[in-house]
Amino acid sequence: MPTKKRIIANIDQCETRIGIMDDERLVEIYVEREERNIGSIYKGKVANVLPGMAAAFVDIGLERNAFLYVGDVIPGTLIDEEEIISPEASISEALKVGQEVKVQITKSPIGTKGARVTTRISLPGRYLVLMPSSDMVGVSRRLSDEGERERLRHIAEKIRPKDMGIIVRTAAEGRSEKDIARDLNFLTSLWKRIGESARKATAPALIHKEYGLVFRMVRDVFAADISEFIIDSLPEYEKVLDLVGLLSPRYKNRVKLYDGKIPIFSHYGLEEQIDEALKRKVWLKSGGYLIIEEAEALTIIDVNTGRYVGTRDLAHTILTNNLEAVKEIARQLRLRDIGGIIVIDLIDMDNESHRDKVIRVFEKALSEDKTKSSISSISKLGLIEMTRKRVSKSLPALLCVPCPLCHGHGHIISAETMSVRIEREMRKASIEYESGRLVVRAHPQVAVNLIGADGERIDGIEKYIGKEVYVRGDQRLHPEVFKMEPESHVREGLFPLAVGDSLAVIIDSVNPFCVDDGLAWFRGMMIEVDKAGKRVGEDVRIYIRQLERSFARADITK
């Protein structure tokens, strides 16, 4: 029985999240807080050349220089079009310090590593990928029908621009030559604009920014196998309708606006599944479980029988548990976006046919994953060694920060993520509570994020939920814990300060939204102290000049 696939899009003030559901299970989650740079194209300048690494570092204007391997430098992509290099050239022959070059980001900066870039630029469309520096024609391997592959290859060879290459994407299946040609015209026009931007720009400079998450979902994921694209923002819903109308008009009736009172991810049960994806232990339906441990360069997955005791003999019990485990592991790799080297410790199987069956089932489960992976056979120690392409941070690395309570050995939800969760809970509370006012108490770091720069974020939340909100910081609360209640339930005074008050405080930290200013706290009230950013840890006397519901502003008195 075919599964029902849906795209669920949650658009918040500070974050866009898109989940892909297979039946009722979340299989992929995408989170975008800042505009991503994978796929963006830059006019860069070679900063240094390292023959011993067969690579160069290129200044593209980001915090760290980008890494360019010699194998990713090809003829025809240098800014100076007269300079031609051979594929066999060393990095010293290919690039010189100070040379300008067009590059595209293939991997985002992760940790201390800068972005990975290539001069093998590719521009993805709905049905095609245009490769301006190649002359090849290819068809997606996911298209298994040989007759359809030949038809699409014939169309691609017919419409391919001179000296450019084309890869036909899976979404082109069944599409007419006219549809595919329209997509190609869009991509060639885009490449022309990029070339014009490169000629005008001074390196380092961004000359093409990759499109946002919602656009990429429409372009790359929204296809015939998606039954619904549900989105909770009217402006983004209208944009999606326009995009689908241009790219795939026959799917417009599958785009739906969610206007329910319960937040969309809660309505479809995704919040709980995201929380589960951040845990190291994953329970299997049979009673077995996985332990997933991520390190910087390696992920280890341990398979255990747990409470599962089987119904026949030991060999069958182990086989059944391992088969269920590899299916769930394939899902977890997609869901958590785990990349790099992965070692899976299965329960030992003596039967060779059982080992072969487990590998076949695992390969089939991985075939649903768009990210490229490679797996080995099961070793004598019962291990599967595999790699999965890493292009960005994993889900835990994206949503969590090293825990200050365990000195970095574990993780807690970040203050930014926690503030977004509180915002969603306030939306739910605005329905449950009749009171027109809410009081929220949270760890100071979370409270700062919830209030936002100059109180703009909390103002936006108040307008959305139609209630006044009083945010107070409480150092005694764990960073993952908050308290929320109607203002009528609060016995103590909400305002321990008044305009004109003079008091002594300790500057607790730098204001993250304005480093020249400092932050202090008084009985839960956040105080922005002007010009105190360099006085962290000092005792100062301040004068309260402005008082808002969730914070105050003050000057240091002489």
Side-chain angles (χ1 to χ4, degrees):
M1 183 177 178
T3 59
K4 182 179 182 180
K5 293 186 178 181
R6 290 182 288 190
I7 298 174
I8 311 295
N10 168 221
I11 314 298
D12 281 319
Q13 192 173 355
C14 298
E15 179 179 81
T16 295
R17 300 184 301 171
I18 294 182
I20 299 178
M21 298 185 71
D22 198 335
D23 285 336
E24 300 304 316
R25 303 192 76 195
L26 180 66
V27 293
E28 292 181 37
I29 178 72
Y30 299 88
V31 180
E32 187 170 80
R33 290 174 181 156
E34 300 175 354
E35 295 181 0
R36 81 166 197 166
N37 50 26
I38 296 176
S40 292
I41 301 172
Y42 292 78
K43 181 179 182 180
K45 182 176 289 188
V46 178
N48 50 347
V49 177
L50 305 175
M53 294 180 64
F57 285 95
V58 182
D59 180 8
I60 58 175
L62 300 183
E63 183 179 353
R64 292 182 293 274
N65 288 341
F67 180 84
L68 175 60
Y69 178 64
V70 66
D72 290 323
V73 182
I74 60 174
T77 56
L78 303 180
I79 297 300
D80 181 1
E81 299 295 346
E82 294 181 359
E83 181 163 358
I84 301 298
I85 63 172
S86 69
E88 296 79 20
S90 70
I91 192 69
S92 300
E93 295 173 311
L95 297 172
K96 306 297 180 185
V97 172
Q99 185 175 352
E100 294 183 342
V101 58
K102 291 196 292 285
V103 293
Q104 184 174 39
I105 292 184
T106 57
K107 290 185 181 180
S108 293
I110 300 176
T112 59
K113 298 178 180 178
R116 176 85 181 251
V117 295
T118 180
T119 64
R120 299 176 184 272
I121 292 172
S122 60
L123 301 176
R126 184 73 179 96
Y127 306 121
L128 302 172
V129 177
L130 178 67
M131 298 177 294
S133 303
S134 173
D135 59 0
M136 68 166 286
V137 171
V139 179
S140 170
R141 294 178 182 176
R142 292 180 177 273
L143 288 167
S144 56
D145 186 294
E146 285 301 322
E148 179 66 0
R149 289 178 63 86
E150 284 303 312
R151 184 186 76 89
L152 293 172
R153 184 182 297 276
H154 175 73
I155 292 173
E157 290 174 344
K158 180 180 177 182
I159 66 174
R160 179 180 69 85
K162 184 180 179 181
D163 299 326
M164 291 190 182
I166 288 176
I167 295 177
V168 182
R169 307 187 70 179
T170 310
E173 185 175 14
R175 307 304 296 189
S176 67
E177 180 179 332
K178 183 179 179 181
D179 290 335
I180 298 172
R182 188 189 306 122
D183 197 39
L184 178 61
N185 289 338
F186 166 77
L187 294 174
T188 52
S189 297
L190 175 60
W191 178 242
K192 184 178 180 181
R193 292 197 300 271
I194 292 170
E196 292 172 353
S197 297
R199 283 189 288 273
K200 296 176 182 177
T202 301
L206 173 67
I207 56 177
H208 169 68
K209 176 171 276 301
E210 172 63 315
Y211 299 109
L213 179 58
V214 175
F215 180 96
R216 298 198 306 273
M217 283 294 114
V218 175
R219 183 191 67 192
D220 300 338
V221 179
F222 191 36
D225 62 335
I226 303 294
S227 60
E228 294 177 305
F229 192 142
I230 308 169
I231 189 165
D232 66 353
S233 164
L234 179 59
E236 291 297 324
Y237 164 76
E238 292 174 342
K239 289 179 183 177
V240 169
L241 281 180
D242 290 341
L243 284 171
V244 174
L246 289 171
L247 300 176
S248 305
R250 59 179 174 174
Y251 300 146
K252 285 188 72 173
N253 63 343
R254 302 185 188 185
V255 181
K256 299 177 182 178
L257 175 66
Y258 177 81
D259 58 1
K261 293 182 179 179
I262 299 174
I264 188 169
F265 267 37
S266 296
H267 177 76
Y268 286 99
L270 300 189
E271 295 290 8
E272 183 179 349
Q273 295 190 55
I274 292 172
D275 286 342
E276 289 297 320
L278 299 177
K279 297 178 180 178
R280 63 190 293 270
K281 178 179 280 189
V282 179
W283 285 100
L284 305 175
K285 289 183 179 180
S286 66
Y289 64 89
L290 311 174
I291 296 293
I292 302 176
E293 296 282 2
E294 278 194 77
E296 185 171 346
L298 172 73
T299 298
I300 300 173
I301 303 177
D302 186 28
V303 180
N304 298 273
T305 54
R307 297 188 295 264
Y308 180 59
V309 295
T311 57
R312 288 169 50 183
D313 53 56
L314 178 60
H316 183 267
T317 299
I318 293 173
L319 172 63
T320 303
N321 194 89
N322 281 340
L323 288 174
E324 184 183 11
V326 293
K327 291 177 185 177
E328 182 60 29
I329 288 169
R331 172 178 175 259
Q332 290 294 328
L333 295 179
R334 292 174 64 191
L335 180 56
R336 300 178 187 230
D337 200 12
I338 295 172
I341 300 170
I342 302 159
V343 177
I344 302 166
D345 185 7
L346 296 170
I347 302 169
D348 289 344
M349 294 174 290
D350 295 327
N351 190 311
E352 186 175 349
S353 65
H354 286 185
R355 293 197 296 268
D356 292 341
K357 185 173 183 180
V358 169
I359 288 293
R360 290 197 303 272
V361 170
F362 192 29
E363 288 175 337
K364 182 178 179 182
L366 288 173
S367 67
E368 298 292 324
D369 189 355
K370 291 182 172 62
T371 300
K372 184 179 179 181
S373 61
S374 175
I375 70 173
S376 68
S377 58
I378 300 174
S379 72
K380 293 180 180 179
L381 297 177
L383 303 177
I384 295 178
E385 297 176 1
M386 66 172 292
T387 60
R388 185 175 183 270
K389 187 176 180 181
R390 187 201 300 271
V391 294
S392 59
K393 294 180 180 179
S394 67
L395 185 66
L398 180 64
L399 298 185
C400 303
V401 296
C403 176
L405 304 180
C406 63
H407 306 289
H409 294 296
H411 292 86
I412 60 171
I413 301 298
S414 70
E416 184 179 5
T417 301
M418 199 65 205
S419 67
V420 174
R421 289 190 174 186
I422 294 174
E423 179 179 343
R424 296 189 187 107
E425 289 300 318
M426 282 192 281
R427 294 184 186 181
K428 292 166 66 176
S430 68
I431 301 170
E432 298 172 5
Y433 297 144
E434 294 180 0
S435 171
R437 299 174 177 177
L438 292 175
V439 179
V440 177
R441 301 185 190 280
H443 189 276
Q445 292 179 357
V446 178
V448 170
N449 275 270
L450 192 58
I451 293 168
D454 295 322
E456 290 181 357
R457 183 175 181 188
I458 199 65
D459 287 346
I461 294 171
E462 287 180 331
K463 291 177 183 177
Y464 186 92
I465 68 175
K467 294 182 185 294
E468 295 179 358
V469 179
Y470 301 80
V471 179
R472 297 293 181 265
D474 189 344
Q475 188 71 44
R476 297 169 297 180
L477 290 175
H478 187 279
E480 292 183 342
V481 175
F482 69 94
K483 297 179 180 179
M484 181 165 53
E485 54 191 339
E487 182 267 343
S488 57
H489 292 185
V490 180
R491 296 179 182 178
E492 63 185 67
L494 279 174
F495 290 98
L497 298 169
V499 173
D501 282 354
S502 177
L503 66 154
V505 297
I506 298 175
I507 302 301
D508 178 76
S509 60
V510 172
N511 186 342
F513 305 109
C514 179
V515 295
D516 290 335
D517 299 339
L519 294 181
W521 297 86
F522 186 77
R523 297 179 185 173
M525 175 72 76
M526 187 182 85
I527 307 171
E528 295 182 354
V529 185
D530 193 41
K531 308 298 183 185
K534 295 182 179 180
R535 304 190 64 174
V536 173
E538 295 183 25
D539 290 302
V540 298
R541 179 161 287 277
I542 61 172
Y543 170 84
I544 304 298
R545 58 179 168 83
Q546 184 178 346
L547 189 63
E548 303 290 343
R549 276 189 287 274
S550 294
F551 67 104
R553 292 189 177 92
D555 297 315
I556 296 178
T557 57
K558 296 181 180 179

